[in-house]
Amino acid sequence: MHWRSWDLNLKVRLFGELITHTFFWMYFPFMALYFSDSFGKDVAGVLLMVPPLLGMLSNLFGGYLADKVGRKPTMLLSLCTSSLMFAVFAFSGSPLVDYFAFIGIGIAGSLYWPASSAMVADLTTEEDRRLVFATFYTAMNIGVVAGPVLGSFFFVHYRFELLLVCTVIELLFACAIFFLVKETLPAEVRKEKAKERFSLTQQFKGYAVIFRDKVFALYIGAGILVAIAFMQLDMYMALYVKEHVTNQPLLWWGDWTFTVGGTSAFGWLMGLNGLLVVLFTLPVTRWFQHWSDRNSMVISSVLYGFGMFLMAFTANIWLLFGCMTILTLGELIRTPVAQSFISKYAPEDARGQYMGASSLQFSIGRFIAPLTIGISQWLSPVGVFGIILAVSLFSAYLYIRLFRMIPEEQHSTSQS
């Protein structure tokens, strides 16, 4: 399915999300430093624990809204809220007000993604869905790569102007969605949902039903384990590289050498990860599009675990690049498949809620992942990376169990 044949809804959102995500990453990586300078490291550390917690609740509420009032109204609410919060951030002269605006931006963003993912699922066929999700993932990662580079200049020197542009960009994207994007929640589902009373109790009842779904609960459990391993990229792996990778030549020509080590080596590794994601998400998705969901998820967990584990045995930057390539391949195989799986598995009238609930695996994984930092005081790198490998392999085992529980007619392509 070539992007030119996509529905206009998808084209508008692909372009809009590419732009807004790039601007998001122009300020987001610098917020920890900003709040540390404003409040002190200890207070900032506590303050920065709040947004992920609120983001979890906002994701769930966004999924509920996407199924209750529609995908389009939910996305418009998100973009209008984030635009207002960016304006408050831009014109504020108080770090405390900046912090509450930052929380508001995070809540608005969490509202958006369940509706966005549900709309992709609404508009694509099962065979095209992986490739479409992969294209959106590529666009997002272009922002991840380009945003911090641009932000390192603009956030430091032109913060007010940057935040003002973010305000305008969010408003323009909201206008594009209002005028160009059509609602995709089926009319009969909307009529049925309109009869239900809007209440938090009703929302929690809906999610209680979802989490009693044993297959979905197993999917969340496996996803949490994958997220714990994935989050080590900027947690234990960062610490390991900083402490064990000493200055060494990366490039050399005659008497000239370019050396990296410690923090700079970590930056190069993360840069490679981002570059591989941008360049190879779509090719890898095409190469593996005939693989079953089960095999794709299992092999991605195994690749990620072994890519991490092999790092324990080397401090050579080029061998570490090889390890990063292995684990990034696991990331590229898994991401579009995981999104596609939920869109196929979720009932049509609860697709938004399933998308919102699915995001919990990353939020919970993000909370548990820092434990490896504490464990590293007691174990050698081989021990810590061994735990990461074990977590990844256990997630692979849970994925195998998961697909054994799904009725054959629901995953006719899951067995190879």
Side-chain angles (χ1 to χ4, degrees), residues 240 244-246 248 265 310-320:
Y240 172 78
H244 296 276
V245 180
T246 57
Q248 56 190 278
L310 292 174
M311 288 187 173
F313 300 96
T314 184
N316 179 280
I317 187 64
W318 284 101
L319 292 178
L320 290 173

Side-chain angles (χ1 to χ4, degrees), residues 90-251:
F91 289 99
S92 166
S94 165
L96 188 60
V97 174
D98 292 346
Y99 173 69
F100 284 112
F102 175 66
I103 288 179
I105 294 168
I107 289 174
S110 297
L111 279 175
Y112 180 90
W113 293 110
S116 172
S117 299
M119 182 176 278
V120 172
D122 294 339
L123 292 170
T124 54
T125 61
E126 187 173 315
E127 57 268 24
D128 293 328
R129 204 164 286 154
R130 282 193 197 182
L131 193 59
V132 175
F133 274 122
T135 306
F136 274 86
Y137 187 64
T138 300
M140 181 182 72
N141 277 281
I142 291 173
V144 173
V145 173
V149 175
L150 297 170
S152 63
F153 175 76
F154 287 104
F155 185 83
V156 173
H157 300 289
Y158 299 99
R159 193 177 79 209
F160 170 76
E161 291 83 357
L162 172 61
L163 295 172
L164 199 59
V165 172
C166 288
T167 303
V168 175
I169 290 293
E170 295 287 310
L171 270 179
L172 290 175
F173 190 25
C175 290
I177 286 183
F178 182 80
F179 289 108
L180 299 176
V181 169
K182 292 179 169 48
E183 179 57 62
T184 60
L185 181 65
E188 61 273 15
V189 175
R190 267 184 287 168
K191 289 179 182 178
E192 192 65 29
K193 292 287 184 180
K195 298 175 185 177
E196 300 176 0
R197 188 167 59 91
F198 189 91
S199 69
L200 289 177
T201 303
Q202 188 67 33
Q203 180 187 354
F204 286 124
K205 283 181 179 178
Y207 279 113
V209 171
I210 290 175
F211 286 111
R212 282 199 295 269
D213 181 334
K214 292 181 180 179
V215 171
F216 185 74
L218 199 60
Y219 171 80
I220 292 294
I224 289 171
L225 295 176
V226 172
I228 290 171
F230 181 76
M231 297 298 171
Q232 301 310 318
L233 273 178
D234 52 8
M235 290 186 183
Y236 180 69
M237 192 197 83
L239 181 66
Y240 172 78
V241 171
K242 182 179 179 181
E243 292 181 348
H244 296 276
V245 180
T246 57
N247 281 333
Q248 56 190 278
L250 176 66
L251 300 169

